[in-house]
Amino acid sequence: MVKELLSVHHLTFAYSGDCVLQGVDFTLHRGTFLGIVGPNGSGKTTLLHLLARLLPLQEGIICFEGKEIWRYSHTEWAKKVAIVFQEIPTRVSLPCQEVIAMGRFPYLRRFAREGEEDERAVQWAMEMTETWQFAERDFGELSGGEKQRVMIARALAQKPTLLLLDEPTSHLDVLHQLEVMQILRALQREGITIIGIFHDPNVVAQWCQYALFLKGGRVLRFGTTEEVMRKEYLAELLEVEFIEHTHPLSLRPFFTPLELRKRPSRGITVHLICGGGRGIPFVRKFLEAGFSLSVGIVNRFDSDEELAIQLRLPVVSEKPFSPFSEESLHHALHLARKAQWVFIVPTYWGRGNLLNLELARLLLLEGKRVFLLREGFDPRFDYTGGEARKKLAELAHHGAQVLERVEELWEK
Amino acid sequence: MYMSHRRKNRQFLRLLGLVVGGLLGSIVFAQGVGGGGYSWHDSFALFSPSTLSTIDRTILFHIRLPRIIIAVLVGGGLALGGAALQGMFHNPLVDPYVLGVSSGAALGAVVAMVSGIYFGLFTIPLFAFSGAVCTAFVVFRLGMVAKRIPLETLLLAGVAMGMFLSAFISLGMFLAGEDLHQIVFWTMGGLWGRGWMEVRMVVFPFLIGVPLLFSFTRELNAFLLGEKVAQSLGVDVEKVKKWLLLFVSLLVASCVAVSGVIGFVGLVVPHLLRLLGCEDHRFLLPLSFLVGGVVLLWADTLARTILNPVELPVGIVTSIIGAPFFIYLLRRKKREW
Amino acid sequence: MRRVLWGALGLVWCILVTFAGFTQEIVLQDDWGREVKLSAPLRRIISLSPSNTEIVFALGMEEFLVGVTSYCNYPPQTQKIEKVGNVTEVDVERVVALNPEVVLAGSLTPPEVVERLEKLGIPVFVLDPHNIEEVLEDIDKVAIIGGVEKRGQEMVQAMRAKIQAITDRISSLSEEEKPRVLHVLWHDPIWTAGKGTFIDEFIVKAGGVNAVSDLTGYVILDLEEVFRRNPEIITVVTSHGAEKVSYEFFLTDERLKVLRAVEAGKVFMVDSDLVSRPGPRVVEALSLFAQIVHPEIFDVYVPPQEE
C-alpha cells in the first residue's frame, strides 16, 4: 500500500484565462482530516472539484493511491471518492433510505437489484450518521441539518476511501454544525480520509489534523493545525486581525476576529497609563477615534497587557504580580516620549504601580500634555492610603488637564 | 429497517398491476365504444371474429383496434418522454417537445402539404418525422456549450427554434391557400383514421426507445440530487443527457409523426404521478408510460364519440382537459415541483 | 372661351345621359342584408371572390372588371386582370388605387374590409348565396349593377331550365332508387359536407341522398362512420387538379376496400373549383353530380384525363 493516499503536484487551473489555481502542491496520508481555509475566490472549491474529478485537469498531476485520478473509470472512482456539497438538494421527495441507497450507484450494474452487501453499506452509513431514525421519512420534510446528514450518509454508502466536503456546515446552525463535525471525526477514526473546505477557521482549528491555507490560487501554508493555525498566519490569509484564545476544554486555539471601525488616523499617539483591565474600554475608544496608542507600564497577564499584545500595541510590561522596577520606568519613559499625549486611565492604585504616576510626572515635566479623568480621584480606587490621590492632585496642579469625559479629547 | 425497501417494491408492483389492469380494462372498454355508444359485444369481438360482417370486422380490427393501440403508444411515449426529461433537467415545466420536436414535425408536414410532394400515404408522417429529428438535432447542437448541455441554453434554443419554425409554418399556411385546412387539421393533433400502417411505423422506435429509457432510471434518480452529485456517484452526466435527449426525441418524433401535436399529456401525466408521491424513476417511468397511455386512450375515445358521428381533434380534448388540470395542480402547490 | 364651351357641352351630356336613363340611382339589398346605393350601370368593378369573377364573365361584363383575387382562375382570361389579394386577405390600398365604382365581395371577405371600403366611399356589394336559387338571384343582381339586366334574365332562365330538366328526370325515382353519396373534402380527417351546403343540394337535386344528411355544414366524420354508413358513391374533391392525395387514399388504403363504393369502383374525383363555387357553373356542377349519381339516366361521367 502506498503510504501517501493523495498527492497533488503543481496543480494549475484557469477558467477562460483567469487563473484560479497556481502551482498547488501537497500530499495527504491515509486517515487524516484536512481542512482547507481561504478567503472567497481563493480557489478552494475549484481545488476540491478538481480532486473530485468534477473538473478536468488542465495542468499538474493528482495521484490517488499512486495512480493518476483520471485513469480510474467513472464507477471505480465513485467507489473511492465521495463528495458532499454545500448546497442541499431541493425538490426531492424520496424516502431518506432511497436517497442514501443512491450511494450504491457505482456498485450496481444496469437493471441489477441491491444485494446484501449494498444493504450492509447503507445500514452502516445510516448508523455512522445516525440517520436510521428517519430512514423512512421523506427527504424533503427534513431540517437542513438532517438533510446534510443524509447527504453524508449517501456519500458513505459509496464506501469511499476519501471523503470530500465543500463547506458542509455553512448552512447549518451551531448545534447541527457540531453534529456534522462529530460525525466527521468518527469517520476519521474509522480510517476514512477527509478533506473539507470550511470558511470558519475555528472549525479547522478544532477538528482537523491538517490545515491548508489557500489564497489567490496558491498554497499559503500547509501543515498540521498546530503549525499552521496561528493568528498571524490567519491575519495574513484572511486580512483580518484575530485575537487568539485557548478553548477551555479542548485546549485548542480559537480565534476571534477583531472588529474595528477604522477611522482616518489623527496622527496623534497617546500613551496610555492603565492596568487591572481598566484600560480595555479606553483602548477601544482611542483606536476607534483614530489615535495611535502605546501602553505601559502594565503587569504581564494583566488583561490590559494581553489586549495590547493581541493588538500588537507597543507596550512596556513588568513581571506578573511584581512592583514596577526602575528599569521598566526607564523603558516606559523611552516609549512614551514618542507619544504626543499621555492619558491616565482611572485605575486602581497600589504600592506596585505608583511608579506609573511618577512616569506621568516626569513626562509632564518634559512638556508632554497629560490628561486624567475626574473619576480617577475616587477614593475607592486608592489602595495607597491617599498617596495616589495626592500625586494625582499634584499632577493636576502642575498642568495636567482634568477631564469629565474622555470624549472631550476628540475635540482637541 | 432497510428491508422496507422491499416493501416499497411490493407496493410498486401492486400499483403497477393496478395500472396495467386499468389499461387493459380501458382498452377493452374503448374497443366497445363506437358510433351508437357502448357495446359489450364489440369489446369481446376479438374472441369471435367469424360472426362479424366484413364491415364490422374492418371497423373493429382495422380501425378501432389499431387506433386504440396508437393512442396508448403515443400517450405513453409522450408521458414517458416528459417524465425522463423532467427528471433529467429537474424541472417540472419541461415537456417532451423542448427540443422543438413539435414545430419541426409541423414544418415537415407543412412542407409536404404545400409542395405537393406525394409518394404514398406515409409521405406526411415521414416528412413530419424527419422535420422533428432534424430540428431536435439542430436545437441540441445550439444548446450545447463547450460540450455540455445546460438546461437554460437548451430551453432557450428550443424556444427560439420553435419561433423561427413557426414563422415558416405561418408562411406555409399563407401559401397553402385552399389547402389551408390540411395544415390546420394536422396541427390540431388527431388520431383519426390511424391504422396498422401507423402502428407499424411507430412500433420500432418504441421497441428500441422505451426499454432504453427504462434502463436509465438509476441515473435519473441520481439526477434528482443534482448534476454534481450524480457525477460524483459515477454517472457520466453529459453522456447520459445526450443519450436521453436522443432516445426521447426519437420516441416523441415518431409519436408526433403519426398524431400531430398533442399537448399536455407529456407535461401533466409525470407531474401528476410525482404529486401522488411517485418520485423514484424506477417507478415513475413505467407508470408514466402506462398512465399516459390510459389518459390519451380515454381522451381519444372521448374525441371520437362525444359528438358522434362528428369527431374532435384529440389534441383539443387533451388541452381543454389538461390545461385546467395543470393549473389546478400548480395552485395546489403541495410540493415545490 | 374654350373652357366654357367644353363645360357647356359636358352639362348637356350629363342632362342627356340622366334623362335618357343611362344612369340611375338604385338601391339593392345584398346577401348580408345591406341596402347598397349604387348608380348603375357601373363601369369599374372589382371582384373579391372567384365565383363573383365567374358571374361577371358569364354576363359578358369582363371589360369592366378592373381587379380580381389571386384565386380567380376561371375563365383563363382572368389571369390578365390585376390582383388585389387573395380571398381572405385584401390589399385595400390596391383596391382604392384602382378607383372602382363597386366592389363585389364574397362569403369569405372579412367584414372589416367591407367596412373600411365603405368608409372610403367605395360601395361594396356582398354576394354570399347559400343555395342554387340564391346564386341565380345574385346573377340577376350583378346584371342589374352592370346594366345588362336583359342578358342576366336570359341567362338565369336558361340555367333554371337546365336544372329543371335534371330534377324532372329524377322526380319519378323512389327513395330506394336514390344512392347514398358521401362527398369528401379531405381524408385526414374525413371532412365532409352535410346539410346546408351546395354539395348537399347538388346530391339531392341529382337524385342522391347525402350520406351525412343528418349533419349540418362542413364536418369531420369519424372514419368508422364511413364504414357504418357504407355509401354507394364517394366523391372526392381535388384541389387545383394537382392534389389527389385524398382520392389516392380512397383507392389505396387497404381498409377501405371493403366499402361498397370502393368495391364497385364508385369513387369519383371532382374538381374542387367547380363544385365549391356558387357561380354560373353551379349547373355544370349539378350535371356532373347527376352523371355520377345516375349514370343510367344521364350520360356516364368520364373523369377528365390527366395531361
Side-chain angles (χ1 to χ4, degrees):
Chain A
M1 196 195 280
V2 188
K3 202 179 161 209
E4 286 160 4
L5 182 75
L6 184 74
S7 59
V8 176
H9 302 291
H10 212 77
L11 197 60
T12 297
F13 191 86
Y15 289 109
S16 53
D18 290 338
C19 214
V20 184
L21 289 177
Q22 288 180 52
V24 171
D25 282 286
F26 70 93
T27 54
L28 201 64
H29 296 288
R30 219 169 262 280
T32 49
F33 188 171
L34 170 69
I36 300 176
V37 192
N40 291 339
S42 59
K44 293 172 297 197
T45 301
T46 305
L47 174 59
L48 203 73
H49 282 193
L50 283 168
L51 294 179
R53 294 209 330 188
L54 294 175
L55 285 172
L57 276 186
Q58 287 176 351
E59 235 178 87
I61 299 169
I62 305 173
C63 287
F64 183 84
E65 293 183 337
K67 188 169 154 188
E68 215 284 311
I69 57 168
W70 282 95
R71 287 171 58 198
Y72 292 90
S73 76
H74 281 280
T75 45
E76 257 178 348
W77 183 249
K79 290 177 194 173
K80 300 265 185 202
V81 178
I83 181 164
V84 175
F85 297 95
Q86 178 183 10
E87 317 87 59
I88 295 164
T90 52
R91 296 188 301 188
V92 178
S93 54
L94 286 175
C96 289
Q97 60 184 8
E98 301 289 345
V99 174
I100 296 167
M102 282 185 200
R104 299 308 291 169
F105 180 88
Y107 294 88
L108 290 164
R109 305 177 59 136
R110 209 164 278 279
F111 294 119
R113 285 176 163 232
E114 281 102 336
E116 265 181 44
E117 203 190 318
D118 303 302
E119 281 191 23
R120 269 202 302 280
V122 171
Q123 198 122 34
W124 171 78
M126 289 200 283
E127 274 160 21
M128 287 308 292
T129 52
E130 293 193 21
T131 45
W132 44 265
Q133 37 185 329
F134 29 80
E136 307 239 351
R137 273 176 59 197
D138 193 316
F139 180 78
E141 290 164 8
L142 302 183
S143 73
E146 291 166 337
K147 279 181 185 162
Q148 196 58 289
R149 267 154 65 196
V150 171
M151 290 317 287
I152 294 172
R154 186 271 309 158
L156 291 182
Q158 286 174 251
K159 283 279 189 177
T161 315
L162 174 63
L163 179 62
L164 304 171
L165 304 116
D166 187 358
E167 301 199 14
T169 55
S170 61
H171 292 325
L172 306 183
D173 61 32
V174 180
L175 174 69
H176 292 111
Q177 199 170 326
L178 275 176
E179 279 175 1
V180 167
M181 294 316 294
Q182 267 159 1
I183 290 167
L184 295 183
R185 175 171 286 173
L187 290 174
Q188 191 205 343
R189 293 206 183 107
E190 293 261 318
I192 295 175
T193 313
I194 303 172
I195 301 179
I197 295 175
F198 300 97
H199 62 198
D200 182 355
N202 286 319
V203 171
V204 177
Q206 281 289 307
W207 304 90
C208 297
Q209 275 177 300
Y210 287 87
L212 187 144
F213 285 6
L214 206 59
K215 188 177 185 182
R218 294 175 189 279
V219 177
L220 205 62
R221 304 270 162 196
F222 173 66
T224 60
T225 37
E226 287 79 14
E227 292 164 358
V228 175
M229 295 307 291
R230 295 165 71 166
K231 72 180 164 75
E232 55 271 30
Y233 295 165
L234 274 178
E236 178 190 19
L237 177 72
L238 301 170
E239 288 169 14
V240 177
E241 296 293 326
F242 284 90
I243 300 175
E244 185 175 339
H245 319 265
T246 302
H247 191 281
L249 290 178
S250 70
L251 302 182
R252 294 232 187 179
F254 74 91
F255 304 89
T256 316
L258 266 178
E259 158 246 349
L260 279 181
R261 278 170 288 166
K262 289 258 160 89
R263 290 275 177 85
S265 167
R266 290 173 184 251
I268 297 176
T269 306
V270 178
H271 184 78
L272 220 56
I273 293 174
C274 54
R278 298 284 299 173
I280 291 171
F282 292 94
V283 167
R284 214 194 82 217
K285 281 179 180 174
F286 276 107
L287 286 178
E288 282 186 358
F291 293 92
S292 304
L293 287 176
S294 59
V295 179
I297 312 164
V298 282
N299 283 107
R300 283 286 278 131
F301 305 122
D302 185 315
S303 39
D304 285 355
E305 192 258 3
E306 285 194 333
L307 178 67
I309 297 287
Q310 295 276 9
L311 295 177
R312 300 191 214 175
L313 301 176
V315 58
V316 174
S317 51
E318 184 57 75
K319 294 188 283 296
F321 301 108
S322 308
F324 298 167
S325 63
E326 286 293 329
E327 196 193 347
S328 302
L329 179 67
H330 184 73
H331 284 310
L333 211 52
H334 188 71
L335 179 62
R337 276 189 191 123
K338 294 180 197 155
Q340 281 79 33
W341 296 349
V342 177
F343 183 78
I344 305 171
V345 168
T347 183
Y348 309 99
W349 300 106
R351 294 281 160 212
N353 67 350
L354 261 184
L355 215 53
N356 262 345
L357 291 176
E358 182 58 19
L359 171 70
R361 197 181 66 85
L362 291 173
L363 289 166
L364 188 66
L365 289 178
E366 283 182 16
K368 293 274 182 235
R369 298 184 68 176
V370 177
F371 303 93
L372 54 148
L373 285 185
R374 170 95 44 217
E375 63 170 302
F377 291 96
D378 193 315
R380 281 174 296 166
F381 286 128
D382 193 350
Y383 294 94
T384 58
E387 199 180 336
R389 268 183 296 162
K390 212 171 88 193
K391 290 208 172 203
L392 285 170
E394 229 173 278
L395 283 174
H397 182 71
H398 285 98
Q401 271 180 278
V402 180
L403 307 171
E404 296 301 325
R405 292 162 55 249
V406 69
E407 284 80 7
E408 288 172 35
L409 280 176
W410 299 177
E411 275 95 60
K412 296 194 187 259
Chain B
M1 77 228 51
Y2 185 55
M3 288 301 162
S4 69
H5 188 71
R6 297 235 168 95
R7 197 164 72 220
K8 179 100 185 173
N9 267 336
R10 257 207 312 280
Q11 231 174 341
F12 163 67
L13 283 176
R14 207 173 302 148
L15 191 61
L16 195 70
L18 205 71
V19 175
V20 169
L23 178 63
L24 290 176
S26 300
I27 290 175
V28 170
F29 176 76
Q31 181 67 30
V33 179
Y38 178 73
S39 136
W40 66 269
H41 188 264
D42 284 357
S43 276
F44 298 98
L46 210 54
F47 305 105
S48 55
S50 53
T51 59
L52 293 168
S53 71
T54 331
I55 290 288
D56 281 347
R57 195 160 9 177
T58 309
I59 289 177
L60 289 177
F61 300 140
H62 294 282
I63 296 179
R64 211 177 281 170
L65 186 60
R67 180 168 173 166
I68 285 168
I69 291 170
I70 284 277
V72 171
L73 287 179
V74 168
L78 291 176
L80 175 62
L85 291 192
Q86 283 177 7
M88 181 179 113
F89 287 123
H90 206 215
N91 189 312
L93 289 178
V94 171
D95 75 2
Y97 302 134
V98 268
L99 287 185
V101 168
S102 54
S103 34
L107 186 63
V110 167
V111 165
M113 291 168 188
V114 174
S115 67
I117 296 171
Y118 180 79
F119 41 79
L121 293 172
F122 49 87
T123 311
I124 285 171
L126 193 73
F127 267 73
F129 182 79
S130 317
V133 170
C134 292
T135 311
F137 183 73
V138 171
V139 170
F140 178 78
R141 296 298 306 193
L142 289 177
M144 197 141 90
V145 180
K147 291 190 177 173
R148 293 169 58 87
I149 313 156
L151 170 66
E152 293 78 18
T153 46
L154 191 75
L155 284 181
L156 288 175
V159 169
M161 197 66 187
M163 286 178 183
F164 182 64
L165 295 185
S166 295
F168 283 99
I169 294 166
S170 300
L171 181 69
M173 287 173 137
F174 185 79
L175 294 176
E178 290 167 48
D179 296 332
L180 182 64
H181 58 269
Q182 304 179 22
I183 299 174
V184 174
F185 287 143
W186 195 91
T187 49
M188 278 174 179
L191 299 174
W192 29 50
R194 298 293 169 261
W196 291 112
M197 181 187 85
E198 283 84 2
V199 174
R200 277 198 295 275
M201 274 164 42
V202 296
V203 86
F204 187 65
F206 270 79
L207 280 179
I208 303 272
V210 173
L212 276 172
L213 282 177
F214 283 171
S215 76
F216 277 96
T217 51
R218 241 193 280 273
E219 279 88 346
L220 283 168
N221 273 351
F223 273 112
L224 276 179
L225 302 182
E227 281 186 21
K228 281 196 291 183
V229 174
Q231 198 171 343
S232 80
L233 285 171
V235 178
D236 192 341
V237 169
E238 297 303 324
K239 208 197 251 170
V240 168
K241 273 195 199 170
K242 282 173 204 168
W243 283 119
L244 282 174
L245 282 172
L246 178 73
F247 298 146
V248 170
S249 297
L250 282 178
L251 198 64
V252 173
S254 50
C255 289
V256 175
V258 296
S259 71
V261 181
I262 293 174
F264 281 100
V265 177
L267 186 67
V268 171
V269 169
H271 200 89
L272 172 74
L273 287 168
R274 281 206 180 84
L275 277 182
L276 292 175
C278 182
E279 277 234 58
D280 192 330
H281 286 87
R282 281 171 297 178
F283 313 144
L284 181 66
L285 292 194
L287 284 177
S288 287
F289 184 76
L290 294 169
V291 173
V294 172
V295 165
L296 193 62
L297 176 55
W298 278 93
D300 188 49
T301 306
L302 211 61
R304 69 182 168 87
T305 53
I306 191 164
L307 292 178
N308 190 271
V310 173
E311 186 172 333
L312 280 177
V314 70
I316 291 178
V317 176
T318 57
S319 293
I320 284 177
I321 299 172
F325 188 66
F326 185 66
I327 291 164
Y328 163 74
L329 292 183
L330 282 183
R331 298 291 300 175
R332 271 202 358 173
K333 246 191 175 175
K334 278 196 87 177
R335 306 239 165 96
E336 279 175 67
W337 265 90
Chain C
M1 189 62 201
R2 192 174 253 192
R3 203 179 292 167
V4 175
L5 194 68
W6 276 115
L9 260 174
L11 192 69
V12 170
W13 189 80
C14 278
I15 293 164
L16 271 175
V17 164
T18 313
F19 281 87
F22 269 102
T23 60
Q24 56 187 127
E25 281 287 322
I26 50 162
V27 177
L28 277 178
Q29 196 180 44
D30 73 3
D31 289 343
W32 286 0
R34 299 155 68 253
E35 304 280 342
V36 183
K37 223 180 264 173
L38 299 160
S39 47
L42 298 162
R43 291 297 176 253
R44 293 184 70 81
I45 300 172
I46 286 178
S47 155
L48 294 184
S49 88
S51 56
N52 294 357
T53 306
E54 289 191 22
I55 292 175
V56 171
F57 265 92
L59 287 167
M61 292 156 55
E62 61 266 32
E63 56 192 297
F64 309 142
L65 205 52
V66 294
V68 294
T69 74
S70 56
Y71 290 178
C72 297
N73 56 359
Y74 187 90
Q77 297 97 287
T78 47
Q79 306 294 9
K80 294 182 205 129
I81 301 168
E82 180 151 6
K83 308 282 182 277
V84 296
N86 61 32
V87 172
T88 49
E89 328 250 334
V90 179
D91 185 345
V92 175
E93 259 176 54
R94 185 99 45 98
V95 171
V96 173
L98 288 169
N99 192 26
E101 290 172 323
V102 68
V103 171
L104 298 178
S107 58
L108 294 176
T109 307
E112 312 89 75
V113 170
V114 173
E115 211 170 292
R116 274 184 71 193
L117 289 172
E118 288 272 274
K119 276 200 183 127
L120 291 165
I122 300 168
V124 181
F125 197 80
V126 184
L127 302 178
D128 185 7
H130 290 93
N131 51 49
I132 295 173
E133 187 52 36
E134 284 179 17
V135 173
L136 299 179
E137 284 168 19
D138 280 353
I139 291 172
D140 259 338
K141 286 179 194 167
V142 175
I144 293 169
I145 289 169
V148 288
E149 279 172 90
K150 197 104 189 276
R151 206 181 303 164
Q153 281 161 11
E154 283 166 17
M155 198 175 118
V156 169
Q157 234 159 25
M159 287 170 76
R160 268 191 225 286
K162 280 187 193 161
I163 296 166
Q164 194 65 44
I166 292 170
T167 47
D168 280 350
R169 290 172 80 176
I170 58 121
S171 61
S172 55
L173 294 173
S174 65
E175 282 304 307
E176 289 78 56
E177 286 170 300
K178 291 181 175 174
R180 279 169 318 126
V181 182
L182 182 74
H183 181 78
V184 176
L185 292 104
W186 180 245
H187 70 288
D188 182 26
I190 305 285
W191 196 30
T192 63
K195 269 223 161 351
T197 62
F198 278 94
I199 299 295
D200 185 68
E201 198 178 357
F202 292 150
I203 293 171
V204 172
K205 284 211 160 78
V209 174
N210 188 352
V212 288
S213 57
D214 51 331
L215 304 171
T216 307
Y218 296 99
V219 289
I220 293 171
L221 194 69
D222 186 356
L223 181 62
E224 288 183 11
E225 278 306 309
V226 177
F227 287 79
R228 229 169 270 134
R229 293 170 188 231
N230 203 0
E232 279 93 6
I233 294 167
I234 296 173
T235 51
V236 186
V237 145
T238 67
S239 28
H240 309 136
E243 291 279 347
K244 299 191 296 178
V245 183
S246 294
Y247 181 64
E248 297 269 345
F249 171 74
F250 276 92
L251 292 191
T252 53
D253 194 298
E254 287 298 322
R255 297 171 290 177
L256 301 169
K257 294 232 152 72
V258 302
L259 286 176
R260 221 181 301 178
V262 180
E263 241 174 349
K266 292 242 172 202
V267 180
F268 296 95
M269 213 180 352
V270 295
D271 181 26
S272 156
D273 290 348
L274 181 64
V275 300
S276 67
R277 287 182 186 175
R281 288 197 287 165
V282 285
V283 177
E284 225 175 292
L286 178 57
S287 0
L288 172 68
F289 270 92
Q291 284 175 313
I292 289 171
V293 177
H294 286 293
E296 76 286 358
I297 300 175
F298 307 95
D299 298 334
V300 174
Y301 171 63
V302 182
Q305 292 300 306
E306 268 181 82
E307 295 103 81

